[in-house]
Amino acid sequence: MTLRKWTFTVAPEDAELRLDQLIAKRTELSRRAAREALKLGGVQVDRKRVKVAGKLVKPGLEVRVAYDPDLPAVPTTAIPIVFEDAWILAVDKPAGIATQGTWATDRHDLLALLKTQRPDLGLFLHHRLDQGTSGLLVLAKDPKANKGLASAFADRDLEKLYLARISEPLEACTVEAPIGRLRGADPGRFGCSGDLMDPKSARTDFRPATAEETAGLVPGHWVVARIHTGRTHQIRVHLAHLGRPILGDALYGGAPSDRIWLHAWRLGLKHPVTGKDLMLEAPPLRFRAEG
């Protein structure tokens, strides 16, 4: 990807310019590319996405522009539904799409696809998966369920299990190591040691997956990870910290592969409205051995 970003403040002499003209003046984009960035949701004024090319922007406001000319066509993938009732919706996120809008687009992500697939729903999101990770996501469909899910995630009153494939075996263990953004890292990444920005406590339990749990999957060293906290890249960082990075996770030193071998597999929680115990599961179909 060739994502490019610009941030600038509107000058007084630019107050009469249309937004597409302003972007063309203050960045390296043509007006045509500026309009494309606007259409995709890659322009923010005062931290809010704007898509109107003819908008006039007041002096002093901050404008952020992100443009990736290599973005693929807007996907039309049907998002698989794992569970649904009147209050919540659980889906199986495909690998390769973001959970929500990125700097450059708010049309290529899971929430955008669900909005297209289910325009009748107003959905509330409380957890996310990395773009290369597949698997379970649970969303609230109404304010009452939203409040309950918010409490469950804030209080960590749930069980989140992931499947990961690594290059070498790993014995059962628990990692309790803080995670923070590595200062000055390019591309940006997180770590458990070094010059960390705003490190936060993090705990992950690991164990080898059983033969029953990995039946039908590509052979390899599979582990089950249970996260007790929800830090960015937590499983990826903790496995790298153990010297067992996830296969295909180039950012954290994983062996080369055509994919990141990480899947949000099972999620156990109390229903946010009824209180019923739920154990939801998204089978890791993309890791099945070809037969």
Side-chain angles (χ1 to χ4, degrees):
M1 297 178 68
T2 54
L3 177 64
R4 305 168 72 189
K5 299 178 182 178
W6 297 267
T7 301
F8 58 88
T9 301
V10 181
E13 61 268 24
D14 295 333
E16 299 302 318
L17 293 178
R18 290 165 45 101
L19 188 52
D20 58 344
Q21 294 174 319
L22 175 63
I23 292 169
K25 178 181 178 181
R26 299 292 298 274
T27 72
E28 299 170 20
L29 298 180
S30 65
R31 282 187 67 182
R32 181 177 180 179
R35 288 193 292 270
E36 181 66 14
L38 284 158
K39 182 176 71 173
L40 291 172
V43 178
Q44 297 181 38
V45 176
D46 196 25
R47 304 296 179 93
K48 298 177 182 178
R49 292 190 196 266
V50 176
K51 298 191 176 186
V52 181
K55 182 178 178 64
L56 302 180
V57 183
K58 295 179 180 179
L61 290 182
E62 180 188 78
V63 178
R64 294 183 176 186
V65 181
Y67 182 63
D68 183 356
D70 296 330
L71 274 175
V74 175
T76 58
T77 307
I79 304 300
I81 305 299
V82 173
F83 174 86
E84 182 176 11
D85 64 11
W87 299 285
I88 63 174
L89 176 72
V91 301
D92 184 357
K93 184 187 89 67
I97 65 172
T99 301
Q100 60 185 147
T102 64
W103 272 78
T105 174
D106 65 352
R107 297 181 61 189
H108 289 72
D109 58 280
L110 177 82
L111 286 179
L113 288 173
L114 284 174
K115 188 175 181 180
T116 300
Q117 184 174 325
R118 296 294 300 276
D120 56 310
L121 298 182
L123 297 170
F124 303 88
L125 179 69
H126 291 285
H127 63 134
R128 297 162 181 79
L129 297 176
D130 297 336
Q131 185 165 332
T133 303
S134 55
L136 271 174
L137 277 170
V138 179
L139 305 100
K141 293 170 59 176
D142 78 351
K144 187 175 182 180
N146 181 47
K147 183 177 180 181
L149 276 183
S151 297
F153 279 95
D155 299 338
R156 303 170 187 170
D157 187 21
L158 34 75
E159 181 182 41
K160 293 191 283 188
L161 300 180
Y162 292 70
L163 275 174
R165 185 180 172 211
I166 54 181
S167 297
E168 300 177 57
L170 177 68
E171 295 183 357
C173 63
T174 294
V175 179
E176 291 193 69
I179 291 176
R181 185 181 291 274
L182 286 164
R183 192 184 308 274
D186 185 19
R189 59 189 182 276
F190 294 77
C192 297
S193 60
D195 188 3
L196 303 181
M197 300 169 58
D198 192 26
K200 293 182 170 64
S201 62
R203 175 185 169 189
T204 313
D205 299 333
F206 295 104
R207 65 169 175 82
T210 67
E212 182 181 4
E213 290 169 337
T214 58
L217 302 187
V218 173
H221 300 293
W222 290 95
V223 294
V224 176
R226 179 183 180 184
I227 58 174
H228 297 268
T229 48
R231 310 306 178 202
T232 302
H233 296 181
Q234 179 170 324
I235 295 171
R236 299 166 64 185
V237 172
H238 274 174
L239 281 172
H241 180 66
L242 292 171
R244 298 292 189 274
I246 295 171
L247 188 64
D249 189 1
L251 187 64
Y252 293 104
S257 180
D258 61 349
R259 70 197 78 179
I260 295 179
W261 293 72
L262 179 62
H263 179 78
W265 178 37
R266 290 175 174 168
L267 179 62
L269 73 161
K270 288 190 179 296
H271 192 287
V273 177
T274 69
K276 178 182 177 181
D277 288 331
L278 295 176
M279 177 56 78
L280 307 175
E281 179 175 339
L285 299 179
R286 71 187 180 105
F287 297 146
R288 293 190 66 83
E290 295 181 2

